[in-house]
Amino acid sequence: MRAFGDDFQLQCSFTRSGDSRRTPGLPWERPAVGGRAGLEDGLRGAPGCAGCLIFSAAWESPPTFGFLLDIDGVLVRGHRVIPAALEAFRRLLDSQGQLRVPVVFVTNAGNILQHGKAQELSALLGFKVEPDQVILSHSPMKLFSQYHRRRMLVSGQGPLVENARALGFENVVTVDELRAAFPVLDMVDLQRRPKTTPLPPSDFPAIEGVLLLGEPVRWETSLQLIMDVLLSNGNPGTGLATAPYPHLPVLASNMDLLWMAEAKMPRFGHGTFLLCLETIYQKVTGKELRYEGLMGKPSILTYQYAEDLIRQQAERRGWVAPIQNLYAVGDNPMSDVYGANLFHQYLQMVKHDGAQELGAGGLWKQRPSATQSCTSILVCTGVYSPKVPVSTEPAQRGEEPPFHGHRDFRFSQELMEASHIVHDVDEAVQLVFHKEGWAL
């Protein structure tokens, strides 16, 4: 099954009005994706306007908008909080320390438990973040219940088994456990090669699928053993004359080729590991590695999942007005911007063209959505940097620029163009509050 990106071949309807220039005190703005009523002229009174309707925190109307905030490169760099994030949450919190609008943290990280990430964010940001406000890259795997009872090989690092069980998977085996059962499979590291050739276990249950939760530590071991499972139809101790195809189901999360930590240059992400696995499988078998589910940004399913959590959060707070506008703030044009723009296109298909709302291949059906738009906002504190000039040489030769996205998502320069580019997350919050007519 191809990822959602292949199902939506619409062209983005960016409205361009020439080069915008940064106005002192306001972030640089690119017109929003797909003209939407109420956004361009939706300022319900700019600061300083006579007679404008500006609410204090105590008198604000119920919010009709919410934030989808990326974490790495937007709120933190490695283990260090970005100062602008603290300023942003001073604006987002009321005098009682409660959020003024619904906020969900959407990260492509997955090597931590959901409640652990919530605790980590609480300590860094200085207010209580609930676990159900955090979406990890693999969180939507909860929806793939038809695989939850299968025996799945799980790859990644951190609390792998705990994460898999929290997602609903009842029978998992780790790469380390598989290697211990079949030590002759792992032969790259000379120091780890077995000195003898033990007999393979005769009672090892067949593996029925592969679960890729995030980048592992020893890539050569994980790549080799995952290939062994796929080529042997789940029986890595045996050999088959012909590799089965279609192969065992593969569920994967986090397609980020690169991500930003403390280093000056971006680091390899799980998308780089997936690229290696896909290339090896193609080279060995002559066929394409296929995914039953591909989750994390920019997957539409991840944004549907986030939209549902935003709605639930608003209901718990007693905010009766429907959440109509989502603002996705991120630092990665390929995952954050592309995903938000793709989801906005999907919303327009559903609302204006009468397209049927989609879930995870029919696995999940949202209640009717009130969301009208998803606006992408790109910050300059992570992967994206305006200081790095974009080479015009490929364009001059009629070539496409390098595409860092996953194979299953088509290249679209327009989908990677943010509706707004700002310096940091605090400017992003100010921009949204101005647009929605809220007091800073």
Side-chain angles (χ1 to χ4, degrees):
M1 183 181 79
R2 282 287 190 176
F4 277 117
D6 284 343
D7 296 330
F8 295 89
Q9 301 298 321
L10 299 180
Q11 293 298 317
C12 255
S13 54
F14 283 90
T15 302
R16 292 182 175 82
S17 56
D19 287 339
S20 298
R21 294 291 183 263
R22 176 184 280 273
T23 303
L26 288 177
W28 184 90
E29 177 176 334
R30 187 186 299 274
V33 178
R36 29 201 187 271
L39 282 184
E40 284 74 13
D41 53 1
L43 295 178
R44 298 195 298 270
C49 293
C52 65
L53 190 59
I54 297 296
F55 298 103
S56 69
W59 295 97
E60 284 169 348
S61 299
T64 59
F65 64 99
F67 286 94
L68 309 180
L69 299 181
D70 182 37
I71 298 176
D72 292 300
V74 174
L75 305 179
V76 301
R77 288 281 295 269
H79 298 289
R80 178 177 57 85
V81 67
I82 295 172
L86 301 178
E87 292 299 321
F89 277 93
R90 289 190 184 100
R91 304 180 195 279
L92 287 169
L93 298 174
D94 63 21
S95 58
Q96 285 75 45
Q98 297 290 314
L99 285 168
R100 299 164 64 189
V101 299
V103 174
V104 167
F105 302 91
V106 188
T107 177
N108 268 355
N111 58 358
I112 189 172
L113 294 171
Q114 189 177 19
H115 68 80
K117 195 66 176 178
Q119 291 174 348
E120 182 182 288
L121 286 172
S122 298
L124 289 170
L125 300 176
F127 81 100
K128 177 67 173 176
V129 176
E130 299 295 340
D132 59 7
Q133 288 180 279
V134 176
I135 299 178
L136 303 174
S137 62
H138 47 65
S139 294
M141 287 186 182
K142 294 176 183 177
L143 308 175
F144 289 76
S145 57
Q146 76 270 40
Y147 300 110
H148 287 173
R149 292 189 177 181
R150 294 195 182 193
R151 182 168 171 81
M152 305 289 286
L153 175 68
V154 59
S155 169
Q157 59 181 295
L160 276 177
V161 174
E162 294 93 332
N163 261 326
R165 288 178 177 163
L167 295 170
F169 294 92
E170 302 172 8
N171 189 2
V172 297
V173 56
T174 67
V175 170
D176 286 340
E177 290 170 339
L178 183 61
R179 178 184 175 273
F182 300 95
V184 297
L185 299 182
D186 188 18
M187 301 296 283
V188 172
D189 188 342
L190 295 176
Q191 300 298 318
R192 301 217 305 176
R193 288 186 183 179
K195 302 300 185 283
T196 61
T197 306
L199 293 174
S202 58
D203 58 348
F204 192 85
I207 293 171
E208 300 171 292
V210 178
L211 197 58
L212 306 176
L213 297 187
E215 61 269 23
V217 175
R218 282 183 167 268
W219 285 27
E220 80 282 1
T221 298
S222 292
L223 289 169
Q224 178 69 78
L225 270 62
I226 292 168
M227 283 294 297
D228 288 335
V229 166
L230 295 177
L231 297 177
S232 67
N233 205 32
N235 297 281
T238 65
L240 295 178
T242 303
Y245 198 82
H247 53 67
L248 292 173
V250 178
L251 300 174
S253 65
N254 184 356
M255 296 162 271
D256 284 352
L257 187 76
L258 303 169
W259 68 289
M260 204 69 186
E262 291 94 342
K264 299 297 184 182
M265 295 174 63
R267 304 292 87 195
F268 291 158
H270 192 222
T272 308
F273 178 82
L274 296 179
L275 177 61
C276 293
L277 180 62
E278 293 156 8
T279 305
I280 294 170
Y281 188 88
Q282 176 81 40
K283 193 72 172 179
V284 170
T285 68
K287 298 182 175 69
E288 184 180 75
L289 182 73
R290 302 176 67 182
Y291 298 94
E292 293 300 313
L294 198 53
M295 280 142 277
K297 298 173 291 187
S299 165
I300 285 180
L301 178 60
T302 293
Y303 287 85
Q304 286 181 308
Y305 194 84
E307 176 193 16
D308 204 46
L309 291 189
I310 285 280
R311 177 188 55 76
Q312 292 177 33
Q313 191 178 142
E315 289 177 353
R316 286 196 304 271
R317 292 291 301 273
W319 292 326
V320 295
I323 303 300
Q324 297 179 333
N325 303 322
L326 297 178
Y327 295 91
V329 184
D331 70 305
N332 191 325
M334 184 52 243
S335 58
D336 300 308
V337 173
Y338 188 111
N341 289 345
L342 186 64
F343 185 54
H344 178 76
Q345 282 190 352
Y346 166 75
L347 290 172
Q348 303 317 296
M349 285 183 62
V350 171
K351 302 303 178 185
H352 300 306
D353 300 334
Q356 184 178 2
E357 294 193 51
L358 300 175
L363 300 175
W364 175 60
K365 186 77 164 64
Q366 283 181 299
R367 66 174 65 181
S369 171
T371 306
Q372 301 294 321
S373 68
C374 184
T375 301
S376 56
I377 304 178
L378 182 64
V379 300
C380 305
T381 51
V383 170
Y384 173 78
S385 174
K387 298 178 182 178
V388 180
V390 178
S391 174
T392 59
E393 186 179 353
Q396 292 171 352
R397 296 198 304 261
E399 300 174 5
E400 292 182 344
F403 180 52
H404 289 177
H406 187 267
R407 173 202 72 190
D408 287 4
F409 288 77
R410 64 185 176 88
F411 173 77
S412 170
Q413 184 62 43
E414 291 154 320
L415 284 176
M416 290 186 287
E417 293 182 12
S419 298
H420 309 280
I421 300 177
V422 298
H423 180 65
D424 54 41
V425 67
D426 186 39
E427 283 194 13
V429 170
Q430 292 184 61
L431 169 68
V432 172
F433 277 16
H434 276 300
K435 279 188 161 296
E436 295 290 337
W438 277 48
L440 295 175

